[in-house]
Amino acid sequence: MTSTVTDSTALSDAELDDLRETVRSVCADAGGTAAVRRLPEDSPGIDAELWDTLGRQVGLAALGLPEAAGGVGGLAEIAVVCEELGRTLAPVPLLSSTVLAGQVLAGCGTADTALARLAEGRVHALAVAAPDGVWRPEAVPVAVAWHGGVPVLDGTAPFVLDGADAEALVVAATGTDGVDLFLVDPREPGVTVRRVPTLDISRGQAVVTFSGARARALTAGGEGADVVTRALDVALVALAAEQLGGAQAALDMTVAHVRDRTQFGRAVGSFQAVKHTCADMLLQVESARSAVVRAVRAATAPDALAEAAAVAQVWCGEAFVSVAAECVQLHGGMGFTWEHDAHLYFRRAQSDAVLLGGAAHHRERLAGLLGW
């Protein structure tokens, strides 16, 4: 069983450009970051109208999925779309549902119905993180037992992206054969979903508790761990592309401000210290772009993709945090206010930096992959 992100019909360069422009246009029509500000701060979630347009009408919900499920494109298309969504911090479940849950379901090979519903825009969430927030097969927090031939889950998944808005949960659980994957209806008895406040108001999270919850098995014999690991490599590249888009937007916003803002009769951007800071920001953005391009080119080789995905996440995560922080600083006092968008990018940067494991985790993984 393998991830099918590279199996769907890829788009040409011209089609990729068209896809980018379409996503950018839809996000602009939605008001850009205004879509984030429309969300209640104490209850982050999904802009359902925007996701209906992007996911169902444009067809992004099926991006990178198998052709049998209506999927189209591969990792290059996912990266292009995620970069554009990252520019406006679009509150849509592409990463959580299409990429994370979708790639896991595609890797199972036994989830045709679930994949078809996901490809239609129905939100699915992935519950696999260990208590420290990263994927560790040896520390999966949910256990499975079989009663009368039916799998029953017990445990708590602490970090479930968009879990409170999901109509189906894809859950990793440990049994006698190792880690396997299961499909769970969050409305069933024995499942408790609790939305939690997040630093990033453009992206919701939930804690999901299973107490004798009935499930449907998607894998057997401990095959789930490999499926999740391969799917997460795709997700790491998608997240890196999103971070690249956010960093580019923060840089563009900063350059526009220091070019137009004057002090002592001169544009702020003419001061040497500001020039050097902006140059450093540009260097970080372009380095992040190179890391994403390199990872996309490794899509056809699983081992190379694993290494490139870890590199991309290290570079892009740290670049976004740094650029977003400088964006706040170079906007002066207004950059610290709620009314300005700088803090939205700073929040997303800090959240994304630990979403699928921090830089230290990916450096450690990279060292293992390279045999260091």
Side-chain angles (χ1 to χ4, degrees):
M1 292 181 288
T2 61
S3 169
T4 58
V5 69
T6 59
D7 294 340
S8 296
T9 304
L11 302 182
S12 66
D13 289 344
E15 289 172 324
L16 276 177
D17 290 339
D18 289 342
L19 177 62
R20 182 187 298 276
E21 289 303 317
T22 298
V23 175
R24 184 174 298 187
S25 176
V26 171
C27 291
D29 290 344
T33 55
V36 178
R37 293 184 179 275
R38 288 194 293 264
L39 298 173
E41 185 177 6
D42 60 347
S43 183
I46 295 168
D47 186 319
E49 183 178 351
L50 179 57
W51 179 236
D52 180 69
T53 302
L54 287 170
R56 185 179 63 83
Q57 298 179 35
V58 179
L60 297 189
L63 200 62
L65 300 182
E67 290 184 66
V72 63
L75 190 53
E77 289 75 19
I78 290 174
V80 163
V81 170
C82 285
E83 182 181 348
E84 289 305 314
L85 296 180
R87 284 179 178 270
T88 57
L89 311 178
V92 295
L94 186 103
L95 179 65
S96 60
S97 186
T98 300
V99 179
L100 279 168
Q103 285 300 304
V104 170
L105 288 173
C108 293
T110 58
D112 293 343
T113 302
L115 266 177
R117 293 177 68 84
L118 185 150
E120 293 172 353
R122 310 292 182 90
V123 179
H124 290 52
L126 183 65
V128 300
D132 61 357
V134 300
W135 164 243
R136 297 184 187 280
E138 71 278 8
V140 172
V142 179
V144 60
W146 293 78
H147 300 292
V150 177
V152 176
L153 306 184
D154 289 281
T156 298
F159 303 99
V160 183
L161 199 61
D162 291 324
D165 298 291
E167 73 164 40
L169 300 169
V170 183
V171 186
T174 301
T176 55
D177 294 328
V179 177
D180 278 303
L181 294 161
F182 302 86
L183 191 67
V184 181
D185 186 336
R187 296 159 294 192
E188 287 294 315
V191 182
T192 302
V193 180
R194 178 172 59 88
R195 190 188 298 273
V196 296
T198 57
L199 174 65
D200 177 12
I201 63 174
S202 63
R203 178 167 280 160
Q205 279 198 3
V207 174
V208 182
T209 301
F210 303 96
S211 180
R214 295 164 64 91
R216 170 192 163 194
L218 297 174
T219 66
E223 296 179 326
D226 287 340
V227 172
V228 173
T229 298
R230 288 191 291 269
L232 284 178
D233 287 335
V234 175
L236 287 174
V237 180
L239 179 59
E242 182 187 277
Q243 290 166 325
L244 167 61
Q248 182 67 67
L251 172 60
D252 293 342
M253 186 192 313
T254 303
V255 171
H257 173 73
V258 300
R259 183 182 58 228
D260 297 337
R261 174 74 171 173
T262 59
Q263 191 172 34
F264 307 115
R266 296 172 56 188
V268 171
S270 67
F271 298 125
Q272 188 176 49
V274 175
K275 287 181 179 180
H276 286 178
T277 300
C278 288
D280 288 340
M281 293 168 70
L282 176 61
L283 179 61
Q284 292 182 79
V285 169
E286 291 307 311
S287 295
R289 190 180 310 282
S290 296
V292 171
V293 170
R294 177 175 179 267
V296 169
R297 289 175 177 172
T300 57
D303 291 341
L305 178 60
E307 179 266 330
V311 170
Q313 191 47 226
V314 170
W315 274 103
C316 296
E318 293 185 339
F320 191 14
V321 168
S322 177
V323 171
E326 293 293 1
C327 175
V328 172
Q329 292 292 331
L330 289 179
H331 275 83
M334 65 184 291
F336 289 83
T337 64
W338 169 258
E339 289 74 15
H340 200 277
D341 284 347
H343 77 96
L344 298 177
Y345 288 90
F346 183 77
R347 288 181 180 214
R348 172 66 75 86
Q350 295 290 338
S351 175
D352 279 0
V354 296
L355 184 59
L356 298 178
H361 167 75
H362 293 297
R363 286 192 176 97
E364 180 181 352
R365 184 187 180 214
L366 182 61
L369 291 170
L370 297 177
W372 293 353

